[in-house]
Amino acid sequence: MPIIDRRFKQGSDEFPDWKWDENRGEIKENDKQHLYYAERTFALVKDEYVQPAGMGFKINRPEKPLLNSLRNSINRQVNNKKSQILRRYSPKVKDFIKSNNEVTDEEIEKELPKEWKSLDNLGWPERDSVNLETIESRGFSKQFQFSSATGFSIGAGFVITVGHTTSNWSAEKFKDYWLIFGACGKDVFKKTFTQDQVFKIKRLVHQVYDRHQSHVITNDPTKPLYTFDDMKALSNSYDFSILECSPVAMKNSASAMFSRALDGSQASRIQPLKGLVLDPNPVLTTDDHRLITLGCPHNLSLKIAINGRVKNIPDPQQLLENQGTIKAAIDIFKGNSGGPLIIENTSRVIGICHSGPTLSFLESGQISMGQGNEPKKSYNPFEKLNSKLQLWLAERTPGIVIDRSWLYAYTELRPLPDQSFFFPKGEGFTWIRFNEDHKAIIHGNAFTRTDPFAHFSNKLEDFTENFRGNLSLDVTVFFSEMIHELENNVFLEIRTQKGSFQGSILQPPKPPKPPTDSFYGTQSMMWMFNAGEEIANTPVESDIGYLPRRLQDCEGGLCSWESLAINYIPGQSGQKTEIKPTRGNVIAKFQLPDGQGQYKDRNKSFKFQIPGEDAPKLDFKGLEIPGGGVEWVVSTSFLAIGAKPKLLMAQTRN
């Protein structure tokens, strides 16, 4: 994940200024516009770093700064490289492993000390001798790591972060994290954050993350650790989570806080969480926008990166799953994931920080010296190590050639030459740097698009008012029990964070016909809404009911739907009873009028899906809407009354 350096061009004889780092910095107290963004952007923080302070909270400062973490990271990566070489190419170590199960590196070093030392003494960078002065200029290396990721509010109690952070979290793990807004500045550990800045996660609303996109990193020393094609393929998929959050409960000013979210009237007394605006219809072209992004680089406090530019927009001719990201030339690092990408002159969000080129090389045998365009005067870091290592291998496993990119690659950092006029005290490392036109930036510095799902998290009324398009909702519920034996008065209830909405009362469906297919025994009921039609009083005898227009006014749109329920009122008692359906789905269709070509092009083939573990994967192939408009389909599935909907699919076509 790089620093974008625009000062060096291809073919330059100059060496880079490895200390230059002017695109990113602290968010200053007198910068009202950037503070506006920071107040709506959060650091994701573990329990261990948060403590009560009066009627607010403080962040605990870790013992050691980023500098220690970087040195430890280099040490771990060096040890991993040594371990892989020993296990693959040392006959003595291979024989030892064969006769023992699950051998650790410590056991290899203890039992075969000479063999371990023979590799250890070749001149690898050592933790305490590594010179990191090239990352000192902004003072970041002396700051402390406390955050795990970044995210931002979109209003109505909803926040967005990156999907790969939360993809494997259990329900219990969500309770272990805090959302702290405005956690910026060098004095972040001295600040007291009020209850309207600190939140807990109430529920996961929706998540999109391709579990197959985990980094393709090989431990084979004869192959590139991570190729450009790997990076390009993995940077195109959608990757985000939408969460609902709530303020945190406290007993009193002197006692510890509960690690639970406030609900109902308690939460309503806290200052409402304001959000950033997702741009539902960005007109994007390369190079004509100034972009900024906020995030927690290296897991520090919030920083801001400026002077960004759009470099690549989704190609509608590609496969659906490869249209998920915008590529931008802007500085991002580990910890920035989930942060907003903002067009500066509109203050609107167009992307969520997804991933960047974390390693300095691109392909086998090719080392990037920072800009992605090598100076004419070439040099190779750690060339002495490479030469000695090849001699070591020739004595043990002749014919093996170590891939240079595998040997030199370090996450987030790149090694500099060990020539004395550069670093007389030892090997040097710096942040990865690229020129903004390098292919690693154009294809790898990725931000998940926000425009396709902007309407799902906003009031539904915004779509019909701002885009003059047509909106329709269909809720279908399936039953396996003999619901036809019930009397009248069956209705759908949609429960949201602000209350519930009741669909019209229907008569239960008639008994099923004799079996004709595999769905025999199931019965369904349906409620619908169409913004372009007037809703009439539904006859009780009808098999299709209607949803109230008030649903359009819900802050948070479809994201505010917490659960669905089917209720039955027997006779004249007036006491409602819940009925448990077997499954159901919700389809929301957003159809634009003709003539909005730019919007159609931007969303020509959008798709994201999460098949639930216990829900069927839905397929909408062949579904057409006359008139050439764009249609969005969203489907959720639930298995029992009160269950939270699972968003399975959203799709556009024209």
Side-chain angles (χ1 to χ4, degrees):
M1 294 184 177
I3 290 173
I4 306 300
D5 193 337
R6 300 182 177 88
R7 301 167 305 147
F8 292 90
K9 303 300 179 184
Q10 188 170 2
S12 171
D13 287 322
E14 299 179 74
F15 287 104
D17 177 2
W18 300 112
K19 294 185 178 182
W20 187 87
D21 186 3
E22 301 301 324
N23 294 326
R24 58 188 183 147
E26 302 291 351
I27 299 168
K28 299 177 181 178
E29 292 185 3
N30 60 354
D31 190 333
K32 292 183 178 180
Q33 187 61 43
H34 291 168
L35 278 177
Y36 171 90
Y37 301 137
E39 289 168 355
R40 291 155 175 79
T41 305
F42 67 82
L44 188 67
V45 184
K46 289 183 179 179
D47 261 335
E48 61 194 87
Y49 294 118
V50 184
Q51 67 175 14
M55 289 304 294
F57 306 90
K58 283 186 177 292
I59 300 173
N60 294 324
R61 196 185 81 171
E63 292 184 4
K64 297 179 180 179
L66 172 62
L67 185 64
N68 289 65
S69 175
L70 293 172
R71 287 194 168 127
N72 290 337
S73 174
I74 292 170
N75 198 51
R76 284 193 302 271
Q77 293 179 72
V78 166
N79 286 339
N80 181 62
K81 295 177 193 295
K82 288 190 281 190
S83 175
Q84 292 301 317
I85 290 172
L86 281 167
R87 290 170 183 269
R88 287 174 179 267
Y89 308 122
S90 167
K92 293 181 180 179
V93 172
K94 290 171 73 174
D95 289 342
F96 177 64
I97 292 174
K98 284 181 181 179
S99 58
N100 298 273
N101 294 325
E102 298 183 1
V103 176
T104 65
D105 290 345
E106 290 75 14
E107 290 172 326
I108 295 174
E109 185 176 6
K110 181 180 179 181
E111 296 298 324
L112 300 167
K114 290 184 178 180
E115 190 71 356
W116 184 276
K117 277 193 172 182
S118 69
L119 183 64
D120 207 25
N121 293 333
L122 297 184
W124 299 84
E126 298 179 3
R127 179 194 179 282
D128 294 328
S129 65
V130 170
N131 190 323
L132 293 174
E133 71 172 273
T134 56
I135 59 173
E136 298 278 0
S137 61
R138 304 296 286 175
F140 295 155
S141 64
K142 297 176 183 177
Q143 295 184 17
F144 296 85
Q145 298 172 292
F146 64 90
S147 58
S148 299
T150 310
F152 58 97
S153 168
I154 55 175
F158 297 106
V159 298
I160 290 179
T161 187
V162 72
H164 65 249
T165 295
T166 61
S167 62
N168 295 318
W169 284 12
S170 64
E172 289 301 313
K173 192 168 183 179
F174 278 100
K175 299 177 182 178
D176 295 336
Y177 284 84
W178 302 71
L179 315 180
I180 301 183
F181 289 83
C184 56
K186 294 181 179 179
D187 297 328
V188 67
F189 299 106
K190 297 180 181 180
K191 292 182 178 179
T192 298
F193 295 91
T194 60
Q195 276 191 286
D196 55 4
Q197 293 177 291
V198 181
F199 293 78
K200 296 289 283 186
I201 300 169
K202 183 177 179 182
R203 66 182 175 111
L204 173 65
V205 176
H206 177 36
Q207 181 171 268
V208 173
Y209 174 61
D210 180 1
R211 287 167 174 76
H212 299 292
Q213 74 168 337
S214 56
H215 293 283
V216 184
I217 293 180
T218 176
N219 282 323
D220 185 346
T222 65
K223 297 179 180 179
L225 189 67
Y226 188 60
T227 69
F228 170 74
D229 287 338
D230 292 333
M231 179 185 67
K232 182 178 178 181
L234 298 176
S235 66
N236 290 328
S237 57
Y238 292 93
D239 183 0
F240 68 92
S241 292
I242 300 177
L243 309 170
E244 185 178 358
C245 65
S246 184
V248 179
M250 294 186 66
K251 286 184 178 179
N252 54 55
S253 60
S255 63
M257 59 278 183
F258 298 114
S259 62
R260 67 172 177 82
L262 285 171
D263 289 313
S265 61
Q266 289 178 304
S268 66
R269 293 195 292 268
I270 305 297
Q271 183 74 20
L273 183 58
K274 297 178 181 179
L276 297 174
V277 178
L278 304 180
D279 194 332
N281 185 22
V283 180
L284 296 179
T285 57
T286 57
D287 292 327
D288 65 347
H289 287 299
R290 288 286 182 175
L291 306 176
I292 61 174
T293 187
L294 283 80
C296 301
H298 326 297
N299 306 117
L300 304 174
S301 59
L302 282 175
K303 316 293 181 197
I304 188 165
I306 59 175
N307 296 327
R309 293 186 179 92
V310 174
K311 303 304 293 185
N312 196 350
I313 55 180
D315 181 358
Q317 303 305 316
Q318 294 294 316
L319 295 174
L320 295 171
E321 58 268 25
N322 292 333
Q323 298 183 39
T325 58
I326 298 164
K327 310 304 190 303
I330 195 166
D331 296 20
I332 54 174
F333 283 80
K334 179 182 177 182
N336 276 92
S337 292
L341 181 67
I342 302 169
I343 296 180
E344 197 165 19
N345 64 340
T346 67
S347 297
R348 290 196 168 193
V349 178
I350 61 170
I352 306 161
C353 185
H354 176 300
S355 60
T358 60
L359 300 175
S360 56
F361 65 88
L362 294 176
E363 290 155 5
S364 180
Q366 181 180 8
I367 308 298
S368 165
M369 294 309 296
Q371 297 72 260
N373 300 304
E374 300 297 330
K376 290 179 181 178
K377 183 178 179 181
S378 61
Y379 50 77
N380 297 322
F382 303 148
E383 192 59 45
K384 292 179 182 177
L385 168 62
N386 190 25
S387 300
K388 291 179 180 180
L389 180 58
Q390 291 302 148
L391 292 174
W392 185 93
L393 288 165
E395 294 175 358
R396 291 162 175 79
T397 311
I400 295 297
V401 178
I402 299 298
D403 185 87
R404 291 168 63 222
S405 66
W406 183 93
L407 183 62
Y408 299 149
Y410 292 86
T411 304
E412 292 195 277
L413 300 171
R414 61 148 292 106
L416 293 175
D418 56 1
Q419 301 172 39
S420 60
F421 62 89
F422 271 102
F423 295 102
K425 296 181 181 179
E427 300 88 352
F429 279 79
T430 183
W431 301 127
I432 297 170
R433 286 171 166 79
F434 286 107
N435 182 277
E436 67 172 2
D437 293 320
H438 195 282
K439 63 179 182 178
I441 300 301
I442 294 174
H443 297 288
N445 224 41
F447 293 79
T448 296
R449 298 165 58 188
T450 58
D451 54 309
F453 59 89
H455 295 307
F456 303 131
S457 56
N458 290 332
K459 287 198 304 184
L460 299 175
E461 189 178 43
D462 292 346
F463 177 81
T464 55
E465 287 190 354
N466 298 333
F467 289 89
R468 305 301 182 200
N470 188 53
L471 164 70
S472 64
L473 298 171
D474 297 338
V475 180
T476 306
V477 184
F478 300 90
F479 304 87
S480 60
E481 61 185 78
M482 306 302 287
I483 190 173
H484 64 273
E485 295 180 354
L486 300 176
E487 301 175 10
N488 297 343
N489 304 333
V490 176
F491 63 92
L492 170 73
E493 183 181 5
I494 299 173
R495 296 166 179 169
T496 75
Q497 58 176 345
K498 297 295 185 182
S500 62
F501 297 85
Q502 178 179 321
S504 55
I505 297 174
L506 296 181
Q507 182 178 12
K510 296 178 181 180
K513 297 179 181 179
T516 55
D517 55 37
S518 59
F519 291 101
Y520 173 66
T522 63
Q523 301 173 75
S524 65
M525 302 182 73
M526 181 179 183
W527 284 262
M528 61 184 296
F529 166 81
N530 190 314
E533 297 178 359
E534 292 295 329
I535 297 180
N537 293 326
T538 307
V540 173
E541 295 78 15
S542 172
D543 57 357
I544 297 178
Y546 290 92
L547 300 173
R549 285 193 176 275
R550 293 186 299 119
L551 272 176
Q552 291 189 101
D553 300 330
C554 271
E555 293 288 341
L558 293 177
C559 290
S560 67
W561 292 25
E562 294 185 338
S563 64
L564 306 177
I566 303 298
N567 295 315
Y568 166 63
I569 303 177
Q572 302 298 319
S573 68
Q575 298 296 320
K576 68 180 182 180
T577 302
E578 292 188 352
I579 309 168
K580 293 187 177 181
T582 55
R583 60 190 176 93
N585 59 59
V586 178
I587 298 177
K589 301 175 184 177
F590 297 81
Q591 185 180 0
L592 287 163
D594 292 336
Q596 296 196 23
Q598 181 67 43
Y599 186 81
K600 282 175 59 177
D601 290 344
R602 283 277 60 74
N603 298 279
K604 188 170 183 179
S605 299
F606 168 65
K607 174 182 179 181
F608 61 81
Q609 62 184 24
I610 305 179
E613 294 179 0
D614 47 7
K617 183 176 179 179
L618 302 185
D619 187 0
F620 292 96
K621 290 181 180 178
L623 185 64
E624 296 181 357
I625 290 291
V630 176
E631 178 191 17
W632 288 12
V633 180
V634 181
S635 179
T636 71
S637 178
F638 59 98
L639 297 182
I641 280 196
K644 295 172 182 176
K646 296 178 181 178
L647 188 53
L648 293 183
M649 179 179 289
Q651 180 171 321
T652 68
R653 12 174 125 62
N654 55 342

